[in-house]
Amino acid sequence: MEDLYPTRGATEVPTPRRDPVVWGPLDAELESYERDGFLAVEDLLTDQEVAVYRAELDRLVADPDVRADGRSIVEPKSQAVRSVFEVHRISDVFAKLARDERVAGMARRILGSEVYIHQSRINVKPGFGASGFYWHSDFETWHAEDGLPRMRTVSVSIALTENRDTNGGLMIMPGSHRTFLGCAGETPEDNYKKSLQMQDAGTPSDEALTRMADAHGIRLFTGRAGSATWFDCNAMHGSGDNITPYARSNVFLVFNSVENEAVEPFAAPIRRPEFIGARDFTPVQ
């Protein structure tokens, strides 16, 4: 299969996007998403729904069996749980959320097809020192290490605590989704074990990030618990450390088109585990 988006070579290489942003019919809402690469939704969940999903997040994080499972990633310093992957499979509560028409239905509108879940996780960012996620394009990793061939993937981050302007919120460079930045450097074997704690391979240079920030600016997302941000797979994004007393916890769902099934990795020696990059392409029903 032709590699439309080369990455992890000797040098950093920008490539103009070769895929649509919105694959279905456009309306005013999706025109905004197409232009910026993201769409903020103020009230996706009610307060009552937030309470249910937050309780389930707390239950999973506190469960010693979940912590001991390979799906759980811990903070390097504090050893606190940072993320739990494949939550739509280990939790009936989050499986229901993934099927919710407000969630899966929007993914179908954007991608113009039936969808399956490429990845799901809860991100736990407790106060007093939880580390952030460095600037990156998700598609760069999903293409290089999971084998997603095209940019036909969308993520939604749903806030289960208030996202403040001070507690390590999501930052996106608007419009950055229109250029793919192929990163320099080979992918180490089992790179995921390190990258899920602190990303190294697949990160842009300071010079490239400066050019992109100068060209596009940076948008910081805040909102009440129950708000959500949809964003394109190639949007350059990241988040800072949380040194406030206020936790920032989110559930994160990645939908891929059933017409964009993963193949072999384009720039990695082996596939990542299926709890990170799914190989079950069954449509969400």
Side-chain angles (χ1 to χ4, degrees), residues 54-89:
R54 176 63 189 275
E56 180 68 355
L57 179 148
D58 292 342
R59 182 190 72 80
L60 290 172
V61 170
D63 187 331
D65 291 335
V66 172
R67 180 188 175 87
D69 191 281
R71 296 178 181 89
S72 293
I73 310 300
V74 299
E75 289 280 352
K77 293 182 180 179
S78 69
Q79 294 298 297
V81 172
R82 174 189 179 98
S83 301
V84 180
F85 281 80
E86 214 171 35
V87 290
H88 73 291
R89 291 196 179 277

Side-chain angles (χ1 to χ4, degrees), residues 14-17 151 175-181 212 216 234 236:
T15 300
R17 186 186 186 110
M151 293 182 184
S176 59
H177 61 303
R178 296 198 172 278
T179 302
F180 175 77
L181 187 64
M212 295 181 79
H216 301 294
N234 191 47
M236 190 63 67

Side-chain angles (χ1 to χ4, degrees), residues 136-158:
H136 64 285
S137 153
D138 286 329
F139 180 75
E140 194 280 335
T141 297
W142 298 339
H143 182 70
E145 301 185 39
D146 296 339
L148 293 191
R150 310 294 293 264
M151 293 182 184
R152 200 170 179 180
T153 314
V154 62
S155 302
V156 61
S157 177
I158 304 172

Side-chain angles (χ1 to χ4, degrees), residues 228-242:
T229 305
W230 290 90
F231 59 102
D232 180 80
C233 59
N234 191 47
M236 190 63 67
H237 66 287
S239 65
D241 296 350
N242 181 13

Side-chain angles (χ1 to χ4, degrees), residues 7-12 140 144-145 182-188 200-203 267-268:
T7 189
R8 312 277 173 105
T11 59
E12 200 170 50
E140 194 280 335
E145 301 185 39
C183 297
E186 294 184 354
T187 308
D200 186 11
T203 54

